[in-house]
Amino acid sequence: MKPLHVVVWNEYVHETQNPKVAAVYPKGIHQVIADGIKKFHPAYAVSTATLAEPEHGLTQERLDQTDVLLWWGHGAHDKVEDKIVDRVQARVLQGMGLIVLHSGHFSKIFKRLMGTSCALQWREAGDKERLWVCNPGHPIAAGLPPTFTLPEEEMYGEPFGIPTPEEQVFISWFEGGEVFRSGNCWHRGNGKIFYFQPGHETYPTYHDANVQRVIANAVAWAAPQGCWQDVLRAPCAKDPHEPISKK
Ligand code: ZN
């Protein structure tokens, strides 16, 4: 059986410009996320892509082979070419899974797929974050404790300008008192989308074992189930399957 093909996309800008971020993620956020997925799913084919690569590392050919795409972006959302966004959106509608992380809430692709502002409250003050599993039977919560903490994270607070999630897996509380819908699921076309809030670049969030488990679970959950492309390529039946009585 073909292994699940996973691509971790990262704009990879802060790590090359900010020594504080480089100290936490010397090989880039994408590499730590990819290594975390491989730890839980050694059979998956996990690779990475970054903004600076030709076509941002997301050629049509590569996307056609991708089952689940993860997206981390922050300072360079506007540098992502619209034609690549079109391409990713089309693949999601066909059935590719998409996992949007942290500041990816303002990426072109997430805003396009949500159709709403995706705006939120934020504060960079090293708040402690407590995540609560509010849907313990959900596959993305498998193997997690009922609640876990991150010693420091960027506060993201409500109201979060998203369509009401079809499924909510996590809700977070921050030391400053705010709450946030921090793990949410949607479908668009045949594709599954999961947004997960933790992951500010100056904190070692993607090294955290619980966070790695959430992301690994989300990749498995978002795996394609059938593909609309196959259906669209099938011959279209002009002749009806039942006789239509002439009126
Ligand atoms: Zn951030």
Side-chain angles (χ1 to χ4, degrees):
M1 206 177 104
K2 170 179 163 287
L4 202 75
H5 277 73
V6 181
V7 174
V8 182
W9 190 91
N10 176 17
E11 65 178 28
Y12 195 33
V13 173
H14 295 306
E15 300 95 319
T16 62
Q17 295 178 353
N18 182 344
K20 200 174 162 192
V21 180
V24 184
Y25 297 107
K27 291 181 185 166
I29 283 173
H30 49 296
Q31 199 55 57
V32 174
I33 293 171
D35 290 346
I37 296 166
K38 277 188 244 172
K39 209 187 296 176
F40 285 89
H41 302 297
Y44 287 6
V46 184
S47 60
T48 63
T50 58
L51 180 71
E53 292 170 41
E55 302 187 49
H56 311 324
L58 300 174
T59 60
Q60 186 66 58
E61 192 184 10
R62 189 173 188 193
L63 276 175
D64 285 345
Q65 297 300 317
T66 301
D67 296 306
V68 180
L69 176 68
L70 295 92
W71 195 277
W72 197 101
H74 178 229
H77 292 320
D78 62 343
K79 303 276 191 314
V80 177
E81 288 181 43
D82 289 337
K83 71 172 186 192
I84 308 296
V85 179
D86 294 345
R87 205 180 269 175
V88 173
Q89 179 189 22
R91 281 290 295 133
V92 170
L93 298 182
Q94 285 167 2
M96 182 183 75
L98 179 70
I99 297 167
V100 176
L101 299 166
H102 187 61
S103 38
H105 73 92
F106 259 167
S107 61
K108 285 183 180 178
I109 184 61
F110 190 61
K111 288 197 290 186
R112 169 89 63 90
L113 287 162
M114 294 295 108
T116 52
S117 73
C118 300
L120 46 78
Q121 311 289 319
W122 59 276
R123 174 179 61 242
E124 203 184 323
D127 286 62
K128 178 166 95 175
E129 174 176 0
R130 179 174 288 282
L131 291 101
W132 287 91
V133 175
C134 50
N135 192 346
H138 198 281
I140 295 179
L144 289 169
T147 177
F148 62 95
T149 60
L150 298 168
E152 285 190 303
E153 248 304 333
E154 180 178 12
M155 185 283 291
Y156 274 15
E158 296 286 342
F160 185 16
I162 47 172
T164 301
E166 293 164 23
E167 297 176 305
Q168 192 179 343
V169 188
F170 302 102
I171 189 164
S172 286
W173 167 91
F174 292 86
E175 205 172 346
E178 293 84 357
V179 295
F180 190 70
R181 288 169 289 173
S182 51
N184 312 309
C185 306
W186 299 267
H187 289 75
R188 288 293 182 270
N190 205 35
K192 291 176 168 179
I193 301 169
F194 180 61
Y195 172 80
F196 190 49
Q197 169 271 326
H200 186 67
E201 65 273 8
T202 56
Y203 306 125
T205 298
Y206 295 118
H207 295 281
D208 181 89
N210 287 316
V211 168
Q212 290 182 351
R213 184 180 286 273
V214 171
I215 292 171
N217 286 347
V219 169
W221 170 82
Q225 296 172 338
C227 179
W228 279 13
Q229 197 172 31
D230 298 340
V231 177
L232 294 171
R233 281 176 181 163
C236 176
K238 290 208 176 79
D239 296 325
H241 294 272
E242 304 287 343
I244 299 170
S245 61
K246 298 266 188 316
K247 303 249 172 23

